[in-house]
Amino acid sequence: LLTNQSLFSASWEIDFWGKFRRQIESDKAKYLSTVAAYDDSLVTLIGDVATTYINIRTVQRQIAITQQNIELQKESFRIAQVRYQSGETSELDPSQAQTQLLQTQAQIPSLESSLRQLKNSLAVLIGQTPNTVDAIVKTGEIPEPPAKMVAGIPKDLLRRRPDVRQAGLNAAAKSALIGVQVANLLPAFSLSGTFGSSSSNIGAQQLIDIFNWQNAIVNAGGN
């Protein structure tokens, strides 16, 4: 005798008060909030890359101007020495020219160190090696701002900011959760049921054995 049974139960709750709808709204708002957070991080990254790039160009320009000043001050120092040697000026003039030259030359290592740090920062931001950054920023000028700047920020543009959009979506998600909690305080209507199947299988030899066993009982009773 073989018997197979498979049963399972299920329950359906009627969304009479909109609890599940509000939960879906909250989950959707949370998902869109994470997308807005990603966009906000991307905007921040782009801003950091742009700022670092402009700083690199600025320091490069400072180094170029400093080197030009060094060449001019070298010439001034040479002229001051010639005039001192010819007796036209005192020793103070070449001494001052030399001091100014040394001070200007001392600015180069500090500027070059700042430039290396900025290049390394840019390499980290864009996920490249410093050698690649050297090739990118090898030559170029400081980016110029637009000729005209728009005064004020339109409200539609403000709504498109990722951080503002994220804050609004977080508020929407919290608001939907309030509806879920209110629905939990109200009666719930649900349907439940059990589903399954069962089957039995008795072999021929087993039927004969059962029949013989029943006959034996009957005969024993008759005797």
Side-chain angles (χ1 to χ4, degrees):
L1 176 61
L2 299 177
T3 302
N4 296 324
Q5 290 186 348
S6 60
L7 301 174
F8 67 93
S9 60
S11 177
W12 294 270
E13 182 175 343
I14 302 175
D15 194 15
F16 190 79
W17 308 111
K19 176 174 66 175
F20 298 113
R21 291 194 300 271
R22 299 291 284 172
Q23 184 65 53
I24 292 173
E25 291 177 6
S26 176
D27 294 339
K28 183 178 180 180
K30 288 179 181 179
Y31 165 72
L32 294 177
S33 176
T34 58
V35 175
Y38 170 79
D39 293 338
D40 185 38
S41 301
L42 188 61
V43 170
T44 303
L45 175 62
I46 293 173
D48 292 342
V49 170
T51 301
T52 305
Y53 179 80
I54 293 174
N55 290 337
I56 288 175
R57 293 302 186 196
T58 302
V59 174
Q60 287 177 334
R61 184 60 178 167
Q62 289 176 344
I63 292 175
I65 294 174
T66 303
Q67 290 174 342
Q68 293 175 1
N69 289 336
I70 289 174
E71 296 300 324
L72 294 174
Q73 290 172 8
K74 284 182 178 180
E75 183 64 18
S76 298
F77 176 57
R78 185 188 69 80
I79 294 173
Q81 282 183 319
V82 171
R83 294 184 63 187
Y84 169 72
Q85 291 173 358
S86 62
E88 296 182 4
T89 60
S90 64
E91 187 179 359
L92 180 62
D93 288 349
S95 177
Q96 290 179 341
Q98 184 180 18
T99 300
Q100 186 176 8
L101 174 61
L102 293 176
Q103 289 177 348
T104 305
Q105 289 176 335
Q107 297 176 5
I108 295 295
S110 177
L111 291 173
E112 290 179 344
S113 176
S114 298
L115 181 60
R116 284 194 299 270
Q117 292 177 0
L118 289 170
K119 287 181 178 180
N120 291 336
S121 298
L122 183 60
V124 172
L125 290 172
I126 64 177
Q128 300 291 335
T129 60
N131 294 334
T132 304
V133 173
D134 289 336
I136 295 174
V137 299
K138 186 175 182 180
T139 57
E141 299 294 334
I142 300 175
E144 296 182 0
K148 295 182 179 180
M149 298 294 293
V150 179
I153 301 177
K155 59 181 181 180
D156 293 335
L157 180 61
L158 184 62
R159 290 195 189 101
R160 292 200 298 268
R161 283 183 46 176
D163 55 341
V164 175
R165 191 166 67 250
Q166 180 185 4
L169 290 169
N170 287 335
K174 297 296 184 181
S175 177
L177 287 178
I178 293 175
V180 174
Q181 296 302 322
V182 170
N184 286 330
L185 299 176
L186 301 174
F189 303 93
S190 61
L191 300 175
S192 61
T194 302
F195 303 87
S197 63
S198 62
S199 62
S200 60
N201 183 16
I202 302 177
Q205 184 62 41
Q206 292 175 332
L207 289 175
I208 295 173
D209 294 339
I210 293 174
F211 180 75
N212 294 333
W213 176 73
Q214 290 177 345
N215 288 336
I217 294 176
V218 173
N219 293 332
N223 297 329

